[in-house]
Amino acid sequence: MPFTLATWNINSVRLRKSLVEKLLTEEMPDVLCLQECKSPVDKIPLEGFQALGYHHIVARGQKGYNGVAILSKLPIEDVGDRDFAALGHARHVAARLENGVTVHNFYVPAGGDVPDRAVNLKFGQKLDYLSEMRDWFHGEHPEKAILVGDLNIAPREDDVWDHKKMLKVVSHTPVEVEALGATQDAGGWVDITRKDLPEGQLYSWWSYRAKDWDAADKGRRLDHVWATPDIANAGHSSRILRAARGWEKPSDHAPVFATFDL
C-alpha cells in the first residue's frame, strides 16, 4: 500500500489553519505530521481537516508552545510519547498505521542562540534531548518505523547556505551534527530525503528576518524524514515544497514529503 507522508513545522496550527487546509487540498498527503502546533489538543481546529478526509489524529499539545500532531486519512493507533530530557514539553508523539509502520513525530529543541551549554541552558537541553533519543534507540532498536520532524539541525555541508559561516551558528555546529549523527546511527536510521536527493544544496527553513528570503536563499535543512533499514528501500519521491514558504503569512519552514510503498 503506497502512502505519502509529509512533515511540517507549522508555527501555530490555529494561526495557520488555512495553510494546513491548502496543503491538504492541493498535495493530499496520506499522513501529515505537524510540529510547533502551539495549541492544546482540544483547541486544534480539526473540523476543517476532517472535512478534507483527515479523520484520524494523534497529538500532544500545550498552550502557546511546542506541540506535535499526526493527521491521517488512514487509520492510526496512538502508541505513546516520550519526554526526552525531562523538559515536560509536547515534543514527541508516535502512531502506528494498519500496515504495522510506526511513525514518530519529533520537535527537537532549537537550542537558543549561543552554542555553549555552560552559558546557554537551552543548548544543553538540546544536546541532552538528542542523547536520550540516542540511548532509547540503542535500547529499543526501532523496526518498521519512520521518524520525521523538525530536528533543528542541518547536518550536511550542503544542508546550509554557507558551511563555513554556519559552523558557529546553532543548528550546524560540529557538536550538534555529531549528536544528531550518533542518534541516527543508534537506530540505523536512513535519511530518506538525502537517499533520494543525494547531491546539492537543500533547505526546508528560511528565516523571517530576511527581507527577501527567496532571493537571499540563506536556508537550512532542519526538517527530516528518516526510516529504519528494513523499510528504507520502500521510500522514494522525496521533495521539499519550497513554494509553501512564500504563501501568505507562512511558516518559516516548508513541508518535506516522501512516499513509501509498503
Side-chain angles (χ1 to χ4, degrees), residues 6-25:
T7 179
W8 194 10
N9 178 318
I10 192 58
N11 191 14
S12 178
V13 68
R14 287 190 281 176
L15 182 63
R16 297 187 168 83
K17 171 180 177 286
S18 64
L19 298 190
V20 176
E21 292 174 350
K22 177 178 173 69
L23 184 86
L24 297 179
T25 300

Side-chain angles (χ1 to χ4, degrees), residues 150-169:
D150 178 4
L151 305 186
N152 263 311
I153 295 172
R156 292 179 24 156
E157 293 187 13
D158 52 2
D159 287 339
V160 295
W161 67 278
D162 190 314
H163 168 63
K164 290 183 179 179
K165 290 181 180 179
M166 291 291 297
L167 281 172
K168 295 182 179 180
V169 176

Side-chain angles (χ1 to χ4, degrees), residues 91 106-111 126 129-130 133 149-153 180:
R91 291 186 176 274
F106 275 93
Y107 177 40
V108 171
K126 181 177 191 174
Y129 194 99
L130 290 163
M133 285 176 65
D150 178 4
L151 305 186
N152 263 311
I153 295 172
L180 186 67

